[in-house]
Amino acid sequence: MSIYSGYEAVIGLEVHIQLKTKTKAFCGCSTEFGREPNSQVCPVCLGFPGALPVLNRLALEYAVKVALALNCKIQEFTKFDRKNYFYPDLPKNYQISQFDLPLSKDGFLDIYLQGKAKRIGIRRVHLEEDAGKLIHKEDFSLVDFNRAGIPLLEIVSEPQINSPQEAYEYLSTLKSIVQYLDVSDCDMEKGSLRCDANISVREAGAEGLGTKTEVKNMNSFKSVKEALGFEIERQIELLKQDKKIIQETRLWDAEKLETFSMRTKEESKDYRYFPEPDLPPFIISKDKIESIRMTIPELPYQKIQRFMNEYGLSEYDAKVIVFSSKDDAIYAEECMKRLDSSDKKPLVNFLIGPMMSEANNRNCGISGLGIPAEEVVSLVQHVQRQDISYLTAKSVLKEVIDTSQSPTKIIKDKNLIQISDSNALTKLVDEVIKENPKSVQDYLSGKSNAIMFLVGQVMKKSNGKANPKIVQEIIKGRLSNA
Ligand code: ADP
Ligand code: ZN
Ligand code: MG
C-alpha cells in the first residue's frame, strides 16, 4: 500500500544521542553544556600523542540499557574501532567507534499510529564518541572541543519506515524511551539528539531497494518530516523522468524547505576502520546485563496501550500524556485513578489543556506544577457538578499554582460557586425578560442570537455566578410558553 501513487518510500534513520554522563567517554573531562569553549579538554580528548583512553563504565551501562529497551541482543564480546577521517573538529583524526562487533544488534521498536501497531527493526546500537563543534563565521571558522569525546549512542534502524509520518512517530517514541531511561536529555536544539535520514523510493510492490540519499542537518522532528517529504517527491520526480538518483549526502535547508547536495556519500571502506589498540576488547557479563535489565521501567509504547485499555484514553490523548515525560505520565495516572468515574475524558482534557499550558508557561511538566493529584480531581469534579464553570476552573487552577491552596478553599473563600438553583434563577430570568422586551421580541421573531444577550443580562444580575447553561434552558422554557 502506498501513499505516493505507484511508488513507495523506504526510510532508514540513524540517530545519535549524547549520553548524560558527568564525564566524557574516555577521559575525565566534564560534559556540561554551554561552558566557555575549550575549557573542558585534556590530552586524551585533544588527541595528544601518548595519551591513553579509559572507557567510562556508566556510558557503557547506559548504552546497554538503551539497547535492551530496544529489544536488541547484547553481544557478549565487543570492541572499539578507529574510524579514520580528517576534519578540523576531530582532534585525533579518528573517532573511537564500533565497527564489526557493536555492543548490540537485531532489536526492534514498536510504533503506534492511527490505531495500528508497526514494528521497526533496529539494526544496531553502538557506542562512540562525539566530535568537536565548528562555528562558522563570515570569513573564518572557530572550533570548540568541549564536545569532543562526549559519549554518543548510534541507533540505526532497518529500512522499514515508509512515510514521513512514520519517521516522526519513530523518533518521538525513541526519544521518549531514552528519556524514560533517564540516560539523555534528547534535546535536538542542544544537539544531544541528532538524526540522519536515509531515503530511497521504489515502484510500489518492488522487491529490492532503490538508490538512497542521506539527508542531514535537520534540527527538529518537524524538519525531519519536511525533509523526508521533499526528498521523496524529488526522487519520485527523477524516476518518472527516467533519470538516475545519485547516492549522495544532502543537507536540509529549513528556510527554502528543500534539500541540496553536499557531497557524494563515502563508504565504510573509506574510513579505514581498524581495532582501537588502546582499548582492549571486553566481555559484558550476563549478570551485568540482567542487573541493567532490572532497572528498565514500563516503556512508552506499553504505557500508551495500557492507558487506552485501562482508562479509555484516545490514542492522541494517551500519546500526549505518555510522550510528555515519565513523571507526567505517572502523575496523570495517579489523577485518573483517583477519579471514581469510568469517564476520564473531562479530567484528561483538563490535564492536557489548561494544565499543560500552565506547565509550558513555567517551563515544566504537569507533574512539576506541584498540585497534589487529589486536588486536580476535586477541581474537575467541581466543574462536573457544575459548581463552577470551566472558565472559573482555569482561573482557580492559576491560583492553586500561585498560592498552593486547595481548589475547594479558593472556591469557598472567593464565593465562586455558581447559582444552579432553578427557583433563584427563574426569578432573575423573569426580571430580565420584563426589562428587555426588545430582545425578547427579537428572539421570538427568530433571531436566535438574542438569547445570548438575555443570558448575559442574567449573568450580570447574578454577579457572574449564574450557571449559564441552566439560565439558557430557563429562558427558552419561559419564552416558549409566552
Ligand atoms: P551506509 O553504509 O551507507 O551508512 P547502511 O547500510 O549502514 O548504509 O545503512 C545506513 C542506514 O540507511 C540504515 O538506517 C538503513 O536502514 C538505511 N538504508 C540502507 N539502505 C537504504 C535504502 N536503499 N533506502 C533507504 N534507507 C536505506
Ligand atoms: Zn578530556
Ligand atoms: Mg552506516
Side-chain angles (χ1 to χ4, degrees):
M1 208 188 58
S2 161
I3 50 171
Y4 306 96
S5 63
Y7 292 91
E8 183 179 45
V10 177
I11 299 162
L13 298 178
E14 292 173 277
V15 173
H16 286 94
I17 56 167
Q18 269 184 359
L19 296 175
K20 59 175 185 190
T21 51
K22 284 211 163 61
T23 56
K24 293 186 181 179
F26 304 108
C27 65
C29 290
S30 165
T31 56
E32 208 180 311
F33 181 79
R35 285 308 178 95
E36 194 187 330
N38 300 307
S39 63
Q40 294 162 170
V41 292
C42 75
V44 175
C45 57
L46 286 180
F48 283 20
L52 292 175
V54 177
L55 176 62
N56 182 332
R57 241 170 220 282
L58 197 58
L60 181 66
E61 285 189 25
Y62 284 178
V64 170
K65 202 167 165 179
V66 173
L68 287 173
L70 295 174
N71 309 290
C72 289
K73 295 186 190 78
I74 307 296
Q75 307 302 294
E76 248 183 79
F77 182 82
T78 182
K79 70 174 168 76
F80 288 98
D81 300 278
R82 289 189 180 180
K83 180 179 182 179
N84 299 281
Y85 64 100
F86 288 87
Y87 206 64
D89 64 4
L90 198 65
K92 297 195 290 282
N93 288 329
Y94 62 82
Q95 177 194 28
I96 301 179
S97 181
Q98 298 197 286
F99 183 51
D100 53 337
L101 294 171
L103 71 94
S104 71
K105 49 187 191 182
D106 299 334
F108 61 84
L109 180 153
D110 289 326
I111 59 173
Y112 195 73
L113 196 59
Q114 276 142 21
K116 267 197 247 149
K118 176 163 177 179
R119 181 157 289 185
I120 293 168
I122 302 287
R123 190 173 282 181
R124 58 191 277 157
V125 175
H126 77 241
L127 191 57
E128 58 186 33
E129 59 175 338
D130 210 346
K133 195 174 170 182
L134 290 176
I135 300 140
H136 300 292
K137 301 282 180 179
E138 193 86 338
D139 50 1
F140 61 93
S141 293
L142 298 168
V143 64
D144 176 7
F145 288 123
N146 284 354
R147 206 176 73 176
I150 290 185
L152 272 190
L153 217 53
E154 179 172 321
I155 301 162
V156 184
S157 85
E158 293 293 346
Q160 291 170 351
I161 299 166
N162 297 109
S163 71
Q165 187 58 39
E166 280 183 21
Y168 187 93
E169 208 56 35
Y170 172 90
L171 290 171
S172 306
T173 309
L174 177 60
K175 173 178 169 172
S176 186
I177 290 172
V178 173
Q179 286 178 330
Y180 272 51
L181 299 176
D182 204 19
V183 299
S184 172
D185 296 331
C186 291
D187 186 341
M188 263 187 130
E189 274 168 29
K190 286 186 186 165
S192 56
L193 186 154
R194 283 165 258 159
C195 172
D196 301 336
N198 297 272
I199 310 136
S200 63
V201 296
R202 62 183 171 196
E203 278 179 28
E207 281 281 314
L209 293 175
T211 304
K212 72 173 158 62
T213 60
E214 181 190 38
V215 182
K216 292 177 180 279
N217 204 33
M218 291 87 66
N219 60 8
S220 66
F221 290 176
K222 188 168 150 269
S223 296
V224 174
K225 208 166 117 180
E226 289 168 343
L228 286 169
F230 176 87
E231 194 54 21
I232 291 165
E233 299 288 347
R234 188 187 70 86
Q235 292 187 11
I236 290 177
E237 209 40 54
L238 285 173
L239 288 191
K240 277 187 181 159
Q241 295 169 19
D242 255 340
K243 288 188 182 148
K244 262 219 166 100
I245 288 154
I246 303 166
Q247 173 151 342
E248 61 185 354
T249 300
R250 299 174 69 86
L251 293 184
W252 173 242
D253 184 327
E255 297 206 333
K256 292 195 189 140
L257 296 179
E258 57 189 40
T259 63
F260 61 95
S261 177
M262 176 170 84
R263 59 169 189 242
T264 56
K265 168 92 179 134
E266 60 296 305
E267 291 174 54
S268 89
K269 67 177 192 288
D270 297 326
Y271 290 117
R272 299 299 193 268
Y273 279 101
F274 65 86
E276 165 61 70
D278 293 338
L279 289 164
F282 55 94
I283 288 170
I284 310 171
S285 77
K286 288 227 158 62
D287 286 353
K288 186 77 210 169
I289 295 170
E290 286 319 305
S291 76
I292 295 172
R293 198 193 297 279
M294 300 294 284
T295 65
I296 296 177
E298 183 185 30
L299 294 172
Y301 178 84
Q302 281 72 28
K303 244 197 204 344
I304 289 168
Q305 302 291 320
R306 198 166 59 73
F307 281 6
M308 291 172 68
N309 294 334
E310 267 177 43
Y311 303 105
L313 263 57
S314 69
E315 176 183 331
Y316 177 85
D317 290 349
K319 279 184 183 170
V320 170
I321 289 174
V322 170
F323 286 159
S324 176
S325 75
K326 182 170 71 180
D327 288 347
D328 282 0
I330 290 172
Y331 179 80
E333 179 161 24
E334 219 179 293
C335 294
M336 293 190 292
K337 272 189 179 149
R338 277 168 198 269
L339 183 71
D340 56 353
S341 149
S342 60
D343 180 13
K344 311 289 182 189
K345 186 72 185 157
L347 170 64
V348 170
N349 284 348
F350 197 72
L351 289 169
I352 68 182
M355 285 193 63
M356 276 205 180
S357 87
E358 289 297 330
N360 278 341
N361 293 341
R362 290 166 171 79
N363 255 324
C364 64
I366 52 173
S367 57
L369 290 171
I371 312 174
E374 65 267 19
E375 314 240 303
V376 175
V377 172
S378 121
L379 188 50
V380 171
Q381 282 171 331
H382 276 299
V383 179
Q384 287 186 294
R385 284 196 302 262
Q386 305 204 4
D387 294 343
I388 57 171
S389 68
Y390 196 72
L391 216 62
T392 307
K394 288 211 258 184
S395 67
V396 171
L397 170 67
K398 275 207 179 79
E399 217 162 319
V400 171
I401 298 169
D402 292 338
T403 66
S404 306
Q405 286 182 321
S406 80
T408 312
K409 184 169 182 330
I410 293 168
I411 291 165
K412 195 161 157 256
D413 288 357
K414 296 209 149 179
N415 199 10
L416 296 173
I417 300 267
Q418 293 188 126
I419 305 169
S420 298
D421 171 52
S422 66
N423 285 336
L425 291 179
T426 305
K427 221 176 124 232
L428 296 180
V429 166
D430 286 345
E431 284 175 33
V432 165
I433 287 177
K434 214 187 246 158
E435 290 160 14
N436 297 280
K438 171 92 177 47
S439 300
V440 170
Q441 209 43 58
D442 285 350
Y443 176 75
L444 291 176
S445 67
K447 288 188 193 153
S448 50
N449 284 345
I451 199 167
M452 292 325 292
F453 175 79
L454 296 170
V455 172
Q457 293 306 302
V458 177
M459 295 307 289
K460 235 189 204 167
K461 270 189 191 289
S462 70
N463 294 322
K465 287 193 331 213
N467 181 326
K469 262 198 209 139
I470 300 183
V471 169
Q472 192 165 346
E473 289 312 306
I474 295 176
I475 297 177
K476 276 187 189 156
R478 283 311 222 206
L479 294 185
S480 71
N481 299 334

